[in-house]
Amino acid sequence: MGTRQRTVILGVAHSDAHAVANHLIAMQLREHGFDVVNLGVCTPLTDFADALDAHPDAEAVIVGSLNGHAYADLADLPRLRDAGRLARPLILGGNLTVGSHKTDEGYRRLRALGVDHLLDDPHELPLLLDLIHAAGTRGRTREAVSAHV
Amino acid sequence: MSEVEWAGMRVDAATAETLPSWADTVAYLRSGRAPSAVAALRAARDTGRPIVQPRCGVGDHGDMLRLLHRLREAGPGMLTVTIDSYTRLRQFDRAARALREAPADLNGYPLVAHGWRRGRELIEAVDVPVEIRHGSPDPRELFAVSLAAGAGSFEGGGIGYNLPYCKDVPLRTSMECWREVDALCGRLAAAGVTVDRELFGTLTAVLMPPSISLAVTLLEARAAAAEGVRCLSIAYPQGGEIHQDVAALRCIRLLAGRYLPAGVEVHPVLHEFMGVFPRRRDTADALILYGGVTALLGGASKVINKTRQEGYGIPDADANADGIRTALLGTSDLLDVVRIDEDRVGEETHWLLREVTELVEPVLAEPDLPAAVAGAFAGGRLDVPFSASVHARSWVVPARDARGAIRYRRTGRLPFSTGTLHRNATELGPERPTADLVESVTADINYFLRRDHAPA
């Protein structure tokens, strides 16, 4: 085919040590043919930025958060983006807020930080990545690819 | 932190200042004021009935004392002080601050912050031995305080307390820390005090292939024995298929006979199912009972019980006490009528021994064990699924076969022979060509959770 392998950067948010889901998602994306740069558990946002600098061909940054601390763990996103870093679609998935009642407000706050896509179901990742890819943006996209909120 | 030596072990100076002298520590350990863990394990071995031990740890000292008294009523043969996360990671100041400001928020007992005198109070409070359980890649300060407190049983090892518990501690670093702990146990053995050192074969706790668990604890056991450790409890996590689990428990003594020096006493331990636990009370209770039976048939000296609240978080005292009783019921003569297919156990035993041999022999052939272990994990020749640490590859992918036994869906770079690979593939049977890998693995992980919805 001669097509270059598509690369994504994957990791778990800084305060979160959930390894199993992270390994399963990496496995799933590799099954779909992606080259996955997996940064693993407890990854500070700056490490995601460093990984993107090292892999500038990566088409998205995927952050998992299962412990409800996503907002605090992503608090530095606006500052990094202002400095020109993490200039790719950022997908956040998992249990994104504490408690069993998910509110639009919690999601709105995450989007205000600059999160581009919110996902509850990791199975939708390959589809979402394909849609982002098809949109052909190398930078960030705010296209309403999917309304999972 | 500046380091000083305490009985040949390097510990941070601030902790060392709080410790009694080595002579006082040895005298206290010899005094018999704390019940002996080794004696309890030997009695279990000699009677053929495993003792039951809960996990338990809370932040506040008074609450911890009350919890030990409360759980003692349920009939455990050993009790636990489970240590909080801050202390595990040597964040002693954070642990102390949490203890002052919000002890209820701690997920365990901060022993270093409380100090050895309070430790002695806990250990003398009950008439069964108390073990320190934690998850520290570098446990040296905690071990010093534990010894000063009179604890005769201490869990952990340089591999099992690294890969599941931290992201980026090199294996050579954690193995060196644990070498110092083991060397101190050797020094105590020479002084007539036998400390029980328990190895955490559960590792990352999800779908652990038995040969990986047995290989890792065997390598840790070799390292410990080389430093003079005389009593080892070697723990294995219940996978849920009883023939495989019984075979694995029986393999622990067989492997010890092959690979450990004579004079090292070995006690098999079963961790009741550590994976995703059923949430319905009746299903959870059945699984807890099943663990007790598995420990009994496998010849374990000890079983670590689970509780009906496992699927929800840290259990309260009532649930934990009930868990002890339910596991005890499984180990009781009431269940002596249970028989399993010994031919199948024999077959599993044969292949497990072969797999473990193929995993450990190349590592043991090298002169420097910690370097060999680190190198093997770096190259995927030793591996664990779902590692939290970047120092294991997690190229292995486990799978349950049709009967529920844990096999290898992918062996990564494990140095298995053609015969071993063939047998594994045969047991596993063909994968449905349409099967989604992640869905299959997830279904295997949720194997017992699904029983919550089993048809009546």
Side-chain angles (χ1 to χ4, degrees):
Chain A
M1 291 285 287
T3 51
R4 272 220 339 252
Q5 202 177 10
R6 294 165 58 190
T7 302
V8 292
I9 290 164
L10 172 72
V12 185
H14 193 187
S15 72
D16 194 336
H18 285 92
V20 175
N22 168 257
H23 282 285
L24 290 172
I25 289 165
M27 215 184 284
Q28 176 206 28
L29 292 172
R30 287 179 183 132
E31 287 290 297
H32 280 84
F34 286 92
D35 179 16
V36 181
V37 179
N38 188 3
L39 307 178
V41 300
C42 303
T43 301
L45 211 47
T46 49
D47 286 9
F48 285 98
D50 293 346
L52 184 58
D53 294 345
H55 302 271
D57 56 337
E59 60 188 61
V61 175
I62 305 158
V63 182
S65 172
L66 287 166
N67 68 351
H69 294 176
Y71 187 82
D73 285 339
L74 293 175
D76 262 355
L77 184 57
R79 199 179 51 78
L80 286 160
R81 285 261 173 85
D82 288 345
R85 307 191 72 197
L86 283 174
R88 289 291 181 285
L90 189 139
I91 303 167
L92 176 68
N95 302 321
L96 302 179
T97 54
V98 171
S100 51
H101 300 291
K102 304 300 175 194
T103 60
D104 286 352
E105 176 56 19
Y107 288 131
R108 200 195 52 72
R109 288 172 70 217
L110 289 164
R111 284 191 170 280
L113 282 178
V115 173
D116 301 287
H117 304 279
L118 293 153
L119 268 190
D120 306 324
D121 182 359
H123 281 99
E124 294 166 356
L125 257 178
L127 174 65
L128 176 60
L129 288 166
D130 286 346
L131 291 165
I132 294 171
H133 191 69
T137 49
R138 290 274 302 166
R140 292 174 53 205
T141 171
R142 282 206 165 276
E143 269 179 61
V145 168
S146 50
H148 295 293
V149 293
Chain B
M1 299 192 202
S2 63
E3 283 186 343
V4 297
E5 283 211 355
W6 186 77
M9 188 172 65
R10 289 168 300 161
V11 294
D12 82 79
T15 305
E17 268 180 27
T18 68
L19 292 169
S21 72
W22 176 241
D24 175 88
T25 300
V26 175
Y28 183 79
L29 286 164
R30 276 190 178 150
S31 71
R33 282 165 66 186
S36 161
V38 179
L41 291 163
R42 284 176 188 163
R45 178 192 62 200
D46 296 344
T47 57
R49 296 244 173 253
I51 53 174
V52 175
Q53 178 183 4
R55 294 182 177 83
C56 50
V58 289
D60 179 75
H61 183 65
D63 289 345
M64 186 75 227
L65 270 173
R66 279 185 287 278
L67 182 58
L68 289 173
H69 282 299
R70 171 81 185 76
L71 294 179
R72 175 64 190 90
E73 295 164 17
M78 203 179 288
L79 281 165
T80 302
V81 173
T82 300
I83 305 297
D84 69 290
S85 299
Y86 295 136
T87 303
R88 293 179 188 197
L89 298 171
R90 301 174 77 225
Q91 298 168 351
F92 305 125
D93 293 344
R94 276 182 84 174
R97 192 167 67 239
L99 181 62
R100 282 193 308 272
E101 293 169 3
D105 290 351
L106 285 160
N107 62 357
Y109 183 84
L111 178 62
V112 174
H114 280 295
W116 58 274
R117 288 182 182 83
R118 282 186 178 174
R120 285 189 189 183
E121 203 181 325
L122 294 180
I123 283 166
E124 288 183 19
V126 283
D127 61 351
V128 294
V130 173
E131 178 176 24
I132 308 300
R133 306 183 76 95
H134 49 112
S136 301
D138 178 358
R140 291 171 298 176
E141 289 83 10
L142 177 63
F143 184 57
V145 177
S146 299
L147 280 182
S153 181
F154 194 75
E155 189 186 31
I159 309 168
Y161 266 14
N162 175 332
L163 300 179
Y165 287 109
C166 48
K167 180 174 178 175
D168 196 13
V169 176
L171 281 158
R172 291 181 75 162
T173 304
S174 53
M175 288 186 78
E176 172 55 30
C177 296
W178 281 91
R179 192 196 61 72
E180 291 188 31
V181 165
D182 289 335
L184 195 46
C185 292
R187 187 170 166 169
L188 278 166
V193 177
T194 308
V195 174
D196 165 49
R197 283 277 296 103
E198 182 170 336
L199 307 177
F200 184 68
T202 287
L203 301 171
T204 48
V206 174
L207 290 180
M208 190 54 55
S211 52
I212 288 180
S213 170
L214 294 170
V216 166
T217 51
L218 182 59
L219 293 168
E220 287 180 333
R222 275 277 281 236
E227 298 297 329
V229 170
R230 304 298 300 276
C231 178
L232 285 162
S233 290
I234 298 185
Y236 161 82
Q238 179 186 12
E241 201 289 311
I242 197 163
H243 302 86
Q244 185 179 46
D245 288 336
V246 165
L249 283 168
R250 292 181 189 173
C251 278
I252 289 169
R253 286 194 203 284
L254 296 170
L255 288 162
R258 263 188 217 182
Y259 288 99
L260 299 182
V264 177
E265 155 179 357
V266 167
H267 294 282
V269 173
L270 181 72
H271 283 224
E272 291 201 318
F273 188 67
M274 294 285 284
V276 181
F277 219 77
R279 293 165 73 96
R280 273 181 52 149
R281 181 173 177 157
D282 48 2
T283 324
D285 284 346
L287 185 51
I288 294 165
L289 184 77
Y290 185 44
V293 179
T294 303
L296 175 72
L297 290 169
S301 295
K302 188 170 82 170
V303 52
I304 311 296
N305 69 281
K306 280 289 182 177
T307 78
R308 63 170 179 266
Q309 291 173 349
E310 214 60 43
Y312 299 90
I314 296 176
D316 61 34
D318 284 346
N320 210 343
D322 287 346
I324 295 168
R325 289 194 190 91
T326 306
L328 264 175
L329 207 57
T331 66
S332 71
D333 56 358
L334 189 69
L335 276 300
D336 281 351
V337 296
V338 174
R339 294 286 176 275
I340 54 176
D341 182 345
E342 286 293 338
D343 289 345
R344 262 179 74 190
V345 175
E347 187 191 332
E348 290 290 342
T349 304
H350 167 84
W351 285 103
L352 262 178
L353 289 173
R354 183 165 164 176
E355 285 180 16
V356 175
T357 301
E358 290 172 4
L359 291 173
V360 301
E361 293 270 354
V363 179
L364 293 173
E366 293 184 44
D368 178 347
L369 186 59
V373 166
F377 274 104
R381 299 182 303 279
L382 285 173
D383 204 359
V384 292
F386 312 117
S387 172
S389 167
V390 298
H391 298 287
R393 297 281 160 252
S394 288
W395 287 328
V396 292
V397 182
R400 288 187 185 273
D401 69 13
R403 293 190 286 213
I406 299 173
R407 310 292 179 199
Y408 293 92
R409 187 178 261 111
R410 291 183 187 165
T411 53
R413 294 209 191 143
L414 298 180
F416 285 148
S417 64
T418 313
T420 295
L421 293 170
H422 178 75
R423 194 262 173 171
N424 178 74
T426 307
E427 290 300 316
L428 204 47
E431 178 102 47
R432 285 181 298 114
T434 56
D436 176 275
L437 176 76
V438 175
E439 270 179 43
S440 306
V441 177
T442 305
D444 289 341
I445 289 171
N446 293 333
Y447 184 72
F448 284 107
L449 185 66
R450 298 204 317 260
R451 313 257 160 172
D452 275 348
H453 316 290

